[in-house]
Amino acid sequence: MRYGYRYILETGSKKHHCPNTDCGKKTFVRYIDTETGDYLPEQYGRCDRESKCGYHLNPYKDGYYQMIKEQERGTFNGTWKSEPIPVRKKAETRPKPDFIPVEVLKQTLEPDRYELNVFIQNLFTKVPFPFEVSDVTKAVELYKIGTIKAGYRKGAVTFPFIDLKSNIRAVQVKQFSKSNHTTGTDFLHSIIDKYHSKRYEPLPDWLEAYNKNELKVSCLFGEHLLSKYPLNPVALVEAPKTAIYGTLYFGLPEQPENLIWLAVYNKSSFKFDKLKVLKGRTVLTFPDLSKEGQTFREWKRKAEEIERRLPGTKFTFSDLLEELAPKEDKNEGKDIADYLIRLDWRAFKDTPQPHQIIIR
Ligand SMILES: [Zn+2]
């Protein structure tokens, strides 16, 4: 017989991001289930910043251990709830993030710029099955996609990250080639910053404040649509371009069964803080392909933890791409957009949404 606890703090030097939103530092030691070797859900652990943070959630103290034992005995009644993550008082005094002014976004949206926009023009002329102007215009208006008019990013597309409350948190800038591959990535605030710095001019006040934000891309691409369409299911992808393709192929969220296509920004931004706005939704998730399906597994594991913390939220993953994609596509990190764009969008017009096929 082995003595000691089944759940222990992980030994060694591996550290995770602290779940206390005020801390978030990579100083967090997680609990391990010594019987399975797996981590406990991500809220269980202890932060090493004892005086500055002090976060410690012990699975023996909030009923988690009891619940697992009951589950294993088959006597669990399904009503257990984890303690909410304690947030320290400091949260009240923490400065709010500063946002990009609406006027700055509006400039990118001037209609005469669209002819310069390589990404949008490609959708009309360069893709195997060119789209109709009216469909693209609707998607452009919905997501407030714009164009860089001049300078070294001339003709690049802008993808704004607008939150639930219509705050503009970041504007990603992407340059595409005629074959719609990315040739450059930037941010609107960096372009404006460079513009002023080169001329030895002071930065605008908003930019001075904005630059102090620790995290720039702090919401989902398309997040503002969640308040507009409160009941629709969600499709979640990595890149804004993929979300736009999804919308063009499967339709706008005007019908309540249609998907709202959202993008997390990059692989590592599939996180609780960013995804908690999806509470109560059904989320069909399409991670990019990756070597040996690493991203797929990582997102899936994180999604399971998020589901536990956000009751009523359901993440669904289709492993269709993972099963069918050749190895080269995985190594190149291809995504669902790379496959969709080869198909005729007309064939999708009257087909059910992907979640109606996959969730069964
Ligand atoms: Zn901490």
Side-chain angles (χ1 to χ4, degrees):
M1 160 139 197
R2 196 164 56 87
Y3 290 94
Y5 291 106
R6 171 171 172 184
Y7 300 141
I8 56 163
L9 286 163
E10 188 178 22
T11 51
S13 57
K14 187 156 179 173
K15 299 287 159 66
H16 301 261
H17 289 285
C18 179
N20 175 0
T21 46
D22 267 343
C23 172
K25 297 278 186 308
K26 216 173 169 181
T27 48
F28 188 66
V29 183
R30 287 179 62 176
Y31 275 95
I32 295 269
D33 182 340
T34 55
E35 280 178 23
T36 62
D38 292 336
Y39 283 120
L40 264 59
E42 66 182 348
Q43 68 266 38
Y44 293 101
R46 192 190 63 201
C47 181
D48 279 352
R49 299 171 78 215
E50 269 167 61
S51 57
K52 286 204 177 114
C53 169
Y55 180 91
H56 184 185
L57 185 59
N58 184 327
Y60 291 99
K61 289 197 176 149
D62 80 333
Y64 180 83
Y65 174 68
Q66 204 57 36
M67 182 269 299
I68 292 292
K69 259 184 21 192
E70 282 175 23
Q71 266 185 2
E72 285 170 356
R73 279 197 223 111
T75 57
F76 179 56
N77 64 7
T79 58
W80 181 80
K81 239 178 91 199
S82 167
E83 259 182 47
I85 288 187
V87 174
R88 282 159 59 93
K89 279 265 164 4
K90 221 175 95 210
E92 288 150 29
T93 57
R94 192 165 67 149
K96 281 208 193 107
D98 281 280
F99 306 115
I100 296 172
V102 179
E103 303 75 61
V104 174
L105 179 75
K106 275 195 181 151
Q107 285 174 7
T108 66
L109 304 178
E110 291 167 359
D112 59 326
R113 293 186 177 205
Y114 285 124
E115 281 182 32
L116 292 173
N117 190 309
V118 177
F119 174 73
I120 293 174
Q121 294 308 316
N122 282 345
L123 296 175
F124 297 136
T125 54
K126 300 287 178 189
V127 295
F129 300 94
F131 294 96
E132 278 173 13
V133 173
S134 59
D135 287 344
V136 173
T137 305
K138 277 188 209 155
V140 161
E141 283 172 358
L142 200 62
Y143 287 90
K144 302 188 193 300
I145 295 170
T147 314
I148 301 293
K149 191 166 138 184
Y152 67 107
R153 295 290 185 203
K154 184 179 173 181
V157 59
T158 55
F159 293 123
F161 286 69
I162 306 171
D163 71 17
L164 278 180
K165 293 181 181 150
S166 304
N167 299 309
I168 303 151
R169 293 188 175 234
V171 180
Q172 193 186 29
V173 176
K174 285 240 161 201
Q175 249 171 342
F176 287 97
S177 66
K178 295 270 189 230
S179 53
N180 243 5
H181 286 106
T182 310
T183 54
T185 300
D186 214 327
F187 281 99
L188 187 58
H189 70 269
S190 324
I191 295 174
I192 298 173
D193 191 315
K194 273 187 213 136
Y195 175 89
H196 292 288
S197 305
K198 260 203 278 182
R199 290 168 176 73
Y200 304 102
E201 291 168 3
L203 298 184
D205 288 346
W206 72 264
L207 185 53
E208 203 68 73
Y210 180 84
N211 280 341
K212 295 197 178 95
N213 291 343
E214 228 174 276
L215 187 65
K216 300 292 193 291
V217 188
S218 52
C219 75
L220 298 167
F221 173 72
E223 187 177 302
H224 62 291
L225 300 175
L226 291 172
S227 13
K228 197 171 173 195
Y229 304 103
L231 300 171
N232 291 56
V234 166
L236 194 61
V237 296
E238 191 174 311
K241 170 185 147 181
T242 314
I244 300 302
Y245 281 15
T247 305
L248 289 172
Y249 275 88
F250 293 99
L252 277 70
E254 285 156 343
Q255 315 299 328
E257 69 276 9
N258 279 16
L259 293 159
I260 309 173
W261 287 79
L262 305 178
V264 292
Y265 169 56
N266 63 16
K267 236 173 258 340
S268 52
S269 35
F270 191 93
K271 279 186 179 160
F272 180 79
D273 269 357
K274 221 178 213 189
L275 300 178
K276 60 185 182 218
V277 291
L278 301 177
K279 185 163 192 251
R281 305 266 180 165
T282 300
V283 185
L284 183 55
T285 317
F286 298 96
D288 284 5
L289 288 170
S290 55
K291 262 187 193 163
E292 271 122 43
Q294 282 161 0
T295 310
F296 186 89
R297 285 200 306 278
E298 193 189 321
W299 282 25
K300 206 160 180 215
R301 183 178 58 73
K302 285 190 182 164
E304 282 161 15
E305 292 181 3
I306 294 167
E307 279 176 351
R308 264 178 240 140
R309 289 170 73 181
L310 296 178
T313 316
K314 178 88 194 114
F315 286 88
T316 310
F317 289 73
S318 160
D319 54 7
L320 200 67
L321 268 195
E322 295 290 329
E323 294 289 328
L324 299 179
K327 202 173 167 197
E328 309 84 76
D329 286 4
K330 290 188 181 174
N331 292 350
E332 284 172 35
K334 289 214 163 141
D335 65 29
I336 182 175
D338 296 310
Y339 293 89
L340 280 177
I341 204 67
R342 297 177 202 156
L343 307 169
D344 189 348
W345 50 269
R346 286 170 195 86
F348 287 75
K349 282 271 157 171
D350 298 310
T351 53
Q353 292 287 311
H355 63 101
Q356 288 164 324
I357 309 165
I358 293 163
I359 302 174
R360 255 181 208 165

